[in-house]
Amino acid sequence: MTHLEELTSTLNDLVLINNDRIEGYQNAINSLETKDADLKMLFAKMISNSRDHVSVLGDLILEAGGEIEEGTTASGKIFRSWMSIKSLFSGSDRTSILESCEGGEDAALKAYDMALSSDVEMNVGVRQVLMDQRVSLSGDHNQVKKMRDLNKTLA
């Protein structure tokens, strides 16, 4: 496998993880009640962030001569299914949904950490994009965690 093929494969993995986030947060929005407008807005922002990440990653993939993958990862589908089942049993309470979302955020951060620590050859610009997106995801993770902790104390 050439270094460009390895790079596009790694970038496509991150595209799929971001697609997982988009679907996971859309599922979370659909599980929330009308009174949870604050979480719906937060999750919509995170969907927008992931769409932006996918767009930038897609440009990098095309620049490297690759093709952008569509869809989601297998583990992402499992995460979304588990979240759907859990929300049925928990009555879609805010804390449970936030806990599920935090698990998804942990997976996304891990994917970026793996990409950044891999042996895949990438130029400084690509590495900077991945580091910037990881920082963005870390901020999202911290917001979800803060909201989860707040909801636990209020429950």
Side-chain angles (χ1 to χ4, degrees):
M1 185 179 275
T2 70
H3 95 276
L4 288 178
E5 290 171 333
E6 289 176 350
L7 177 61
T8 58
S9 176
T10 298
L11 295 175
N12 268 314
D13 286 346
L14 298 178
V15 165
L16 297 177
I17 284 292
N18 277 284
N19 288 343
D20 286 345
R21 286 184 86 231
I22 292 166
E23 287 194 31
Y25 280 117
Q26 189 59 60
N27 187 19
I29 287 170
N30 294 340
S31 298
L32 291 167
E33 297 177 24
T34 306
K35 68 179 180 171
D36 297 314
D38 60 331
L39 288 184
K40 288 183 179 193
M41 287 177 47
L42 175 66
F43 295 163
K45 177 185 141 275
M46 292 177 180
I47 289 171
S48 177
N49 289 347
S50 275
R51 286 187 175 134
D52 291 344
H53 295 333
V54 168
S55 176
V56 171
L57 292 167
D59 289 345
L60 294 173
I61 291 166
L62 294 175
E63 286 174 19
E67 293 183 25
I68 305 165
E69 289 189 34
E70 296 182 15
T72 58
T73 64
S75 61
K77 289 177 185 172
I78 292 167
F79 166 72
R80 283 188 306 283
S81 297
W82 178 85
M83 190 171 169
S84 295
I85 292 167
K86 184 173 182 178
S87 69
L88 290 174
F89 293 111
S90 67
S92 302
D93 73 88
R94 289 170 61 101
T95 302
S96 295
I97 290 170
L98 287 162
E99 286 172 349
S100 296
C101 291
E102 185 182 5
E105 289 302 313
D106 290 340
L109 288 171
K110 183 177 178 181
Y112 273 82
D113 289 342
M114 290 172 56
L116 287 164
S117 66
S118 73
D119 293 337
V120 174
E121 188 179 322
M122 59 184 86
N123 66 38
V124 175
V126 171
R127 184 167 296 280
Q128 187 62 53
V129 165
L130 299 188
M131 290 177 8
D132 291 347
Q133 288 186 358
R134 196 213 178 274
V135 167
S136 170
L137 293 173
S138 182
D140 288 349
H141 174 273
N142 292 341
Q143 277 190 289
V144 168
K145 186 175 185 219
K146 185 185 294 185
M147 294 291 289
R148 184 213 58 203
D149 292 345
L150 178 63
N151 277 286
K152 279 186 174 181
T153 60
L154 296 175

